[in-house]
Amino acid sequence: MSRQTHHPHVPLERWLDALADIGEAVGGDEPVTDLLDRVARTACTLFGYDFCAVFLPDHSGAALTIVGSHGLSADYVAQVNADRPILLDVHSAEEAPTSVAFRTGDVVALEDIERVPGIGPWGGVAHEQGYRALVSVPLRRSGRVVGALNGYHAAPHRFDHAEISLVNAMATQAAVALGTAQLRAGEQDAIRELRRAEEVHALLTATALRGEGVAGVAAALAELLGAPVRPR
């Protein structure tokens, strides 16, 4: 089978607009998932991928799950995340390409998975998703790998040095935007907790000043917690 040698030549203006679009999201309040969907959509548009996915570690840190994507249905993403996440404790020939990229910090590019010897269980997902070529680029922030950006082609495709360099640059921009979005989300959670604490303090103080005693404080707490509180 002949190899596909063409890669998208991205005009400088389009490239700068794309990076600016991702950078603009840093200044807004876009949720992390929406931001990563934007990154995946931009990658598909610029590089001609049939679909794209952004992976981050799950809460356990034992697997990578799809947090943002373009060209994949929400139902499919949910199914993959629930039933076939990319395990990070597989260090063998069966290790998925995305896990290798995340673990080593190196770009992994496969121009035709049908030519990969001893393809692991991830090959079944590849056939199901319908791709033959993929590139997995680590998302780096402060010298640490925090995720991976994957681009997929339905047909065999050669990822040349120029294309990989451009995808790397996009991944770097995406990692910066991701870090900012996560920081902002954490700050918002902290602000909500502080406001909640202020509300609790104000209510309990008002209850105490009214001289309602322990029973009054218990009633106020029950109102806040949505459950009965029995004073001892």
Side-chain angles (χ1 to χ4, degrees), residues 4-21:
Q4 180 179 343
T5 57
H6 171 73
H7 77 277
H9 296 280
V10 183
L12 179 60
E13 185 176 352
R14 283 187 61 202
W15 174 250
L16 293 177
D17 285 345
L19 292 185
D21 183 58

Side-chain angles (χ1 to χ4, degrees), residues 10-223:
V10 183
L12 179 60
E13 185 176 352
R14 283 187 61 202
W15 174 250
L16 293 177
D17 285 345
L19 292 185
D21 183 58
I22 295 173
E24 186 178 319
V26 174
D29 56 357
E30 194 170 33
V32 171
T33 53
D34 290 352
L35 169 65
L36 296 182
D37 283 345
R38 179 199 295 250
V39 170
R41 182 175 63 251
T42 302
C44 284
T45 300
L46 285 180
F47 304 113
Y49 299 141
D50 291 301
F51 45 94
C52 187
V54 183
F55 294 81
L56 298 181
D58 64 6
H59 294 298
S60 70
L64 294 172
T65 56
I66 300 172
V67 181
S69 66
H70 183 71
L72 299 173
S73 72
D75 288 342
Y76 180 78
V77 169
Q79 181 185 358
V80 168
N81 286 343
D83 301 334
R84 297 186 300 280
I86 295 176
L87 301 179
L88 294 174
D89 59 353
V90 179
H91 293 190
S92 68
E94 295 188 343
E95 185 178 9
T98 310
S99 174
V100 174
F102 182 84
R103 177 173 59 82
T104 65
D106 296 327
V107 175
V108 176
L110 300 177
E111 63 181 70
D112 188 354
I113 66 168
E114 298 297 335
R115 298 188 178 186
V116 176
I119 190 170
W122 61 270
V125 178
H127 291 138
E128 183 178 322
Q129 289 183 199
Y131 69 84
R132 292 281 296 274
L134 84 152
V135 60
S136 185
V137 183
L139 297 180
R140 292 179 174 278
R141 188 171 69 245
S142 301
R144 187 169 64 92
V145 178
V146 297
L149 169 65
N150 283 17
Y152 304 87
H153 282 285
H157 175 84
R158 186 173 68 86
F159 300 91
D160 64 18
H161 178 72
E163 180 177 350
I164 289 176
S165 294
L166 288 174
V167 182
N168 245 328
M170 171 168 284
T172 299
Q173 181 78 349
V176 172
L178 170 64
T180 303
Q182 290 174 328
L183 180 61
R184 184 181 298 112
E187 289 175 344
Q188 290 173 347
D189 288 342
I191 290 172
R192 280 192 290 269
E193 289 179 6
L194 286 172
R195 288 176 177 170
R196 184 65 169 166
E198 290 173 355
E199 291 173 0
V200 170
H201 180 265
L203 180 58
L204 295 183
T205 299
T207 301
L209 290 176
R210 288 197 299 267
E212 297 180 14
V214 175
V217 171
L221 283 173
E223 179 182 343

